[in-house]
Amino acid sequence: MARYIRWFEEITLDDLGLVGGKNASLGEMWRSLRPLGVKIPPGFAITADAYWSLLDVGGLRARLTELMKGLDLRDTDLLARRAGAARELIEKTALPPALWDEIRVAYDQLQRNGAPRSVAVRSSATAEDLPGASFAGQQESFLNVTGHDALRLACSRCFASLFTDRAISYRTERGFDHMKVALSIGVQRMVRSDTACAGVMFTLDTETGFRDVVLINAAWGLGENLVKGSVDPDEFYVFKPTLASAPRPILRRRLGLKQLRMIYTDEAGDVATVNVPVPEEERGRYTLTDAEVLSLARTATAIEGHYSQRAGQPTPMDIEWAKDGPDGELFIVQARPETVEAGRSGEVLERHLLEEKGEVIVSGTSVGQKIGSGAARIIRDPAHLASFVAGEVLVADTTTPDWEPVMKRSSAIVTERGGRTCHAAIVARELGIPAIVGATGATSQIEAGAAVTVCCAEGDVGRVYRGALAHRVERVELGAMERPRTKIMMNVADPDRALSLAALPNDGVGLARIEFIINNTIRAHPMALLHPERVLDAGVRAELDALTRAYPDRGEFFVDQLAQGVGTIAAAFYPKPVVVRLSDFKSNEYASLLGGRDFEFHEENPMIGLRGASRYTHPSYAEAFALECRAMRRVREDMGLTNVELMIPFCRRVEEGERVLAEMAKHGLRRGELGLKVLVMCEIPNNVVRIDAFCALFDGISIGSNDLTQLTLGVDRDSALVAFEFDERDPGVLEMLRQAVTGARRNGRHSAICGQAPSDHSDVAAFLVSLGIDALSLNPDSVLQTTLAVLEIERAQGARKG
């Protein structure tokens, strides 16, 4: 019986001490998940006993122990010298003959069991992938290894990599005894992703800890570039709760730059891989099809389900995958429990808030939701790491595991390259340090030594501001917070903030404004997308071409981007209701969109002009409204997010409401089908005067107190000359509110308010609660404060009734 070799089919998670976390996980998946269709490349583990045998044959234990004594991690030069000496000791010690014989025989057998292929030789430390101890990339892996000599060399180097600078630093800080941690090696058939793509995926959102998504990152070629942060990858979010029931629950796609492709060289030996530039055509298209994204997501949920069942508790996973170029198959090459976001308590909500604004120097992808500031230290070469001073902001092109001792002492990290799952992002997340990755121009535009603020608290986009800006941390104990009888909903416009906002105590979204998505993501007038030939400015036509380059059908660009934005908001709050208000731009606002001035009329008073419901059946916009309807159908039907309810804004007359409902039905959005609810904004005095008729037509009302106040008092809220007369607490406005709420209650319809009034004025909130309004929809920054106020109001009213 082999002493030093275990095939994957012989290994389970119970063998972690023998084969390390990486190999134990591969064996577990081979035995339990491969029968369910999860594809794992075949291979074997060289056990930890082999490592100890090597040390004993070479008489290395005492010498390594001596090298590890008296290390000061702040002395990076000493650390590097000792680490280099330790690795040299191991690499110069020949593998014991009995050990090498077993490795060679197993390698030959692996080649006989299929067409001869190169192998990956990966380290698997016995202290790796434990809860709270899973730093990425502590030891080395070697790819494209072919032949006995190359395999022997790779194994020696793998054993030696237990003493990299970063691995020594990590063990020291975590209290591991260097001489009680061993290294196992995994030898696995190579997946030829050099001719296809590879990446990583997590079964939660890595920034917020939101558990209902699978996050997939992908780049061309071998996956090392993505992990190291050398490329900006494609990014996909898949919604887990509807994965089994909906046709296409892909919430979001983001096209990455994918600048480099790592491929194999023709040479064997030392240099097995090389980076080559990716052609522009390939950079401009996604690495994965929708079918492949969904296949990976199903695999990820199957892995998570198995590990959760085995652990007896939810266990989000961090998974590496690769696509084989020759046959197009998707393989799992590593899986381990995610330990950062999954390990955080959900009982305390921590919000970092920027208290002042400043000049934005560069921006990129935010990692985490914190804010950090300090003097900028720009490091272009690892040789200069020793100059770093604790508390500075580390600015670099990218980072590698060797940088970790310095990264731990930084107040924030900024890199020019990388995505959410690159090395810098993973380490920053584990350390709880704010980081911005993919911040193009950071090393040239940020001034060395200047004070900067790194803000990751404003959604997916992280910004580096000039100067040390004031900021604060707000902590809320969620577990003890009582819920009021009146539903507290939120006004949410930005999909990038939705997953984090969902952590606030809430009853859903009372207003999701699609104008934000159109303005910030789509940026083009929908009619300009449908009829570019009517756009007169050649420069604008060129901008439209660039904006929609990944979409042959420009109308599909509008539909897809709008569906992704709305779908992300709906998924964040699922299964709670999310009320999506259809477009309510005014003509001057539509004209400011790309290509918009060629399709809009000039109006003297756009506030009461062609807006809201009147647009949807108007000849100048009806084609664009059809795109809005297609997007909403995609969210509800393809993504399975039937918690989306629709709301019609600025509906002047009952007859207009009837025309809009008929137009929606024509485009497949029929009120009542698949549980679709359609509400109407109550923001025009006629909505209040004819409340019974509007309630007969719609499923409920949501009061828009801004426009209702404006039209009740005859005040143009955009005019500074009369703005002082705008007051939601005027007796006439309060009477309108009273009639609206009591009218909805009289008709058995849902009543809510999504205007500014209850967020700004607690007395208005108290008045609405006293009327029995069903829900208040508030700006996120006033949710906690207003919730506590409503609880007090309800207690006081209950006491009075008692």
Side-chain angles (χ1 to χ4, degrees):
M1 179 179 174
R3 179 182 173 189
Y4 299 116
I5 298 298
R6 295 288 186 276
W7 290 91
F8 288 163
E9 54 261 41
E10 301 176 279
I11 300 169
T12 72
L13 285 177
D14 297 329
D15 297 309
L16 188 144
L18 181 66
V19 297
K22 201 169 292 174
N23 286 332
S25 186
L26 284 168
E28 181 74 22
M29 289 190 292
W30 183 278
R31 289 165 62 110
S32 300
L33 291 167
R34 188 166 168 270
L36 303 179
V38 176
K39 293 182 171 62
I40 316 290
F44 59 88
I46 303 170
T47 68
D49 291 340
Y51 170 78
W52 296 125
S53 174
L54 174 68
L55 262 57
D56 290 339
V57 166
L60 304 183
R61 293 200 194 218
R63 297 164 73 184
L64 290 170
T65 300
E66 190 62 31
L67 282 171
M68 295 301 104
K69 281 183 181 177
L71 277 177
D72 181 352
L73 298 183
R74 293 169 297 183
D75 188 341
T76 54
D77 289 337
L78 176 63
L79 174 62
R81 289 196 303 274
R82 297 277 187 89
R87 292 195 300 274
E88 185 179 9
L89 280 176
I90 295 173
E91 286 182 26
K92 286 187 173 180
T93 302
L95 299 180
L99 168 59
W100 171 241
D101 284 346
E102 287 193 22
I103 295 172
R104 178 178 49 76
V105 169
Y107 171 79
D108 291 343
Q109 183 177 335
L110 182 64
Q111 298 290 9
R112 283 196 299 272
N113 289 343
R117 297 179 73 161
S118 59
V119 295
V121 180
R122 303 182 188 274
S123 59
S124 180
T126 58
E128 188 178 40
D129 299 328
L130 295 173
S134 61
F135 268 22
Q138 292 303 314
Q139 287 77 223
E140 301 289 351
S141 294
F142 300 90
L143 306 178
N144 196 32
V145 175
T146 305
H148 293 163
D149 291 343
L151 177 62
R152 189 200 302 258
L153 179 62
C155 288
S156 290
R157 289 183 171 175
C158 253
F159 283 138
S161 73
L162 194 59
F163 289 92
T164 60
D165 300 18
R166 58 190 181 267
I168 294 169
S169 174
Y170 173 58
R171 289 196 299 271
T172 301
E173 290 186 337
R174 293 299 180 95
F176 287 111
D177 185 332
H178 298 288
M179 300 312 298
K180 290 186 178 178
V181 176
L183 191 126
S184 169
I185 297 173
V187 179
Q188 190 174 25
R189 183 174 295 166
M190 198 78 212
V191 179
R192 291 301 306 268
S193 60
D194 58 313
T195 58
C197 59
V200 297
M201 53 185 174
F202 293 83
T203 60
L204 47 57
D205 176 49
T206 53
E207 305 314 311
T208 64
F210 183 72
R211 298 288 185 93
D212 283 345
V213 292
V214 176
L215 166 61
I216 301 171
N217 276 191
W220 299 119
L222 302 173
E224 305 300 304
N225 273 340
L226 195 151
V227 174
K228 291 177 179 176
S230 304
V231 296
D232 175 29
D234 292 340
E235 188 172 87
F236 307 89
Y237 279 87
V238 181
F239 191 50
K240 289 194 286 188
T242 61
L243 184 55
S245 58
R248 195 175 58 172
I250 301 173
L251 298 177
R252 304 185 76 174
R253 300 176 198 78
R254 188 187 69 81
L255 189 67
L257 295 175
K258 306 182 293 291
Q259 306 95 319
L260 299 171
R261 182 201 304 267
M262 183 178 283
I263 60 173
Y264 301 143
T265 64
D266 293 330
E267 307 170 22
D270 263 9
V271 181
T273 60
V274 65
N275 269 320
V276 297
V278 174
E280 188 66 32
E281 184 274 329
E282 285 187 275
R283 291 173 61 178
R285 62 182 171 88
Y286 287 107
T287 42
L288 296 168
T289 65
D290 282 359
E292 289 171 332
V293 169
L294 294 172
S295 175
L296 282 172
R298 292 187 187 101
T299 295
T301 55
I303 293 171
E304 180 184 49
H306 176 77
Y307 278 72
S308 298
Q309 183 179 28
R310 208 179 191 286
Q313 62 182 6
T315 306
M317 299 296 292
D318 170 357
I319 302 163
E320 294 184 23
W321 60 270
K323 180 180 177 180
D324 191 65
D327 61 20
E329 295 283 357
L330 293 164
F331 289 90
I332 302 303
V333 294
Q334 281 188 45
R336 53 185 166 262
E338 196 279 343
T339 58
V340 181
E341 288 298 334
R344 290 181 180 157
S345 168
E347 293 302 305
V348 178
L349 177 67
E350 185 176 280
R351 301 178 69 205
H352 291 246
L353 304 167
L354 202 59
E355 294 187 306
E356 56 181 326
K357 290 289 185 180
E359 178 191 348
V360 177
I361 306 172
V362 292
S363 60
T365 301
S366 63
V367 177
Q369 301 171 66
K370 294 184 177 181
I371 301 171
S373 61
R377 172 72 66 174
I378 299 170
I379 295 185
R380 294 183 173 87
D381 189 315
H384 301 145
L385 285 171
S387 66
F388 189 85
V389 177
E392 292 181 326
V393 173
L394 174 62
V395 182
D397 179 57
T398 188
T399 67
T400 68
D402 293 324
W403 294 49
E404 286 171 20
V406 161
M407 296 169 75
K408 294 166 188 173
R409 309 203 310 272
S410 63
S411 61
I413 299 167
V414 182
T415 67
E416 292 217 16
R417 292 188 286 164
R420 294 188 194 283
T421 52
C422 72
H423 173 265
I426 291 171
V427 173
R429 221 173 271 125
E430 292 208 25
L431 295 171
I433 296 171
I436 298 175
V437 297
T440 304
T443 58
S444 59
Q445 295 180 39
I446 296 174
E447 182 184 348
V452 295
T453 298
V454 177
C455 182
C456 297
E458 299 173 294
D460 278 2
V461 177
R463 297 175 177 89
V464 180
Y465 290 98
R466 196 177 305 282
L469 303 183
H471 55 277
R472 73 179 194 275
V473 181
E474 191 177 83
R475 293 179 178 86
V476 181
E477 297 281 347
L478 298 181
M481 181 171 281
E482 183 185 345
R483 300 298 300 149
R485 182 179 63 255
T486 307
K487 293 187 182 302
I488 303 297
M489 305 177 84
M490 269 192 281
N491 300 333
V492 179
D494 185 355
D496 289 347
R497 297 186 64 204
L499 298 185
S500 59
L501 290 176
L504 289 167
N506 72 86
D507 295 299
V509 175
L511 175 63
R513 296 185 296 109
I514 70 171
E515 292 85 15
F516 183 95
I517 300 167
I518 295 172
N519 231 341
N520 291 273
T521 303
I522 297 172
R523 306 198 334 262
H525 194 292
M527 292 298 290
L529 293 170
L530 290 170
H531 295 286
E533 74 282 357
R534 289 165 54 186
V535 176
L536 301 179
D537 189 315
V540 172
R541 289 198 301 272
E543 286 187 70
L544 289 170
D545 288 341
L547 188 65
T548 59
R549 69 187 186 279
Y551 293 82
D553 178 349
R554 296 187 181 196
E556 174 61 20
F557 166 75
F558 183 93
V559 171
D560 192 44
Q561 294 296 313
L562 182 55
Q564 288 184 48
V566 170
T568 300
I569 297 172
F573 293 86
Y574 184 88
K576 300 170 187 174
V578 171
V579 179
V580 178
R581 188 182 71 186
L582 297 173
S583 63
D584 192 27
F585 275 134
K586 295 174 277 295
S587 55
N588 59 324
E589 294 167 334
Y590 264 121
S592 69
L593 294 171
L594 199 59
R597 65 184 181 182
D598 294 307
F599 296 91
E600 291 301 321
F601 305 99
H602 172 73
E603 296 184 283
E604 293 299 333
N605 194 342
M607 187 73 77
I608 54 173
L610 187 65
R611 60 176 289 200
S614 60
R615 272 192 172 262
Y616 304 157
T617 57
H618 195 278
S620 68
Y621 192 80
E623 283 183 273
F625 183 64
L627 298 181
E628 291 186 37
C629 292
R630 274 175 56 192
M632 296 307 103
R633 283 192 66 186
R634 183 166 297 179
V635 172
R636 286 179 50 83
E637 297 173 19
D638 289 3
M639 297 180 184
L641 293 162
T642 52
N643 59 323
V644 165
E645 302 175 1
L646 300 180
M647 185 156 65
I648 310 303
F650 221 76
C651 186
R652 295 175 170 95
R653 303 172 64 238
V654 172
E655 293 78 8
E656 187 174 60
E658 290 171 341
R659 289 197 300 272
V660 169
L661 287 175
E663 189 74 6
M664 291 171 64
K666 186 172 81 175
H667 297 301
L669 291 171
R670 190 178 302 276
R671 179 180 162 223
E673 285 189 1
L674 293 176
L676 174 62
K677 291 183 179 180
V678 183
L679 290 77
V680 66
M681 290 287 291
C682 182
E683 54 192 338
I684 300 168
N686 195 42
N687 301 141
V688 179
V689 173
R690 299 210 61 199
I691 189 68
D692 296 322
F694 277 103
C695 283
L697 193 60
F698 294 98
D699 293 293
I701 66 165
S702 185
I703 300 167
S705 59
N706 294 352
D707 275 352
L708 186 59
T709 300
Q710 169 179 246
L711 296 172
T712 300
L713 299 179
V715 174
D716 181 354
R717 58 189 170 96
D718 284 350
S719 171
L721 298 174
V722 293
F724 67 94
E725 295 286 9
F726 185 91
D727 186 358
E728 300 101 320
R729 294 168 292 182
D730 183 273
V733 177
L734 294 178
E735 176 59 18
M736 284 289 185
L737 296 179
R738 187 192 67 78
Q739 289 186 36
V741 174
T742 56
R745 287 175 62 81
R746 181 172 64 248
N747 286 278
R749 294 302 194 203
H750 173 80
S751 64
I753 185 168
C754 59
Q756 193 72 22
S759 294
D760 289 348
H761 307 296
S762 60
D763 53 344
V764 175
F767 176 67
L768 291 165
V769 171
S770 72
L771 294 172
I773 196 168
D774 294 313
L776 307 179
S777 192
L778 309 164
N779 295 331
D781 58 3
S782 62
V783 164
L784 298 172
Q785 178 182 344
T786 307
T787 298
L788 296 173
V790 169
L791 283 167
E792 289 300 316
I793 292 165
E794 290 180 349
R795 290 190 192 105
Q797 291 175 355
R800 284 198 296 272
K801 289 175 184 176

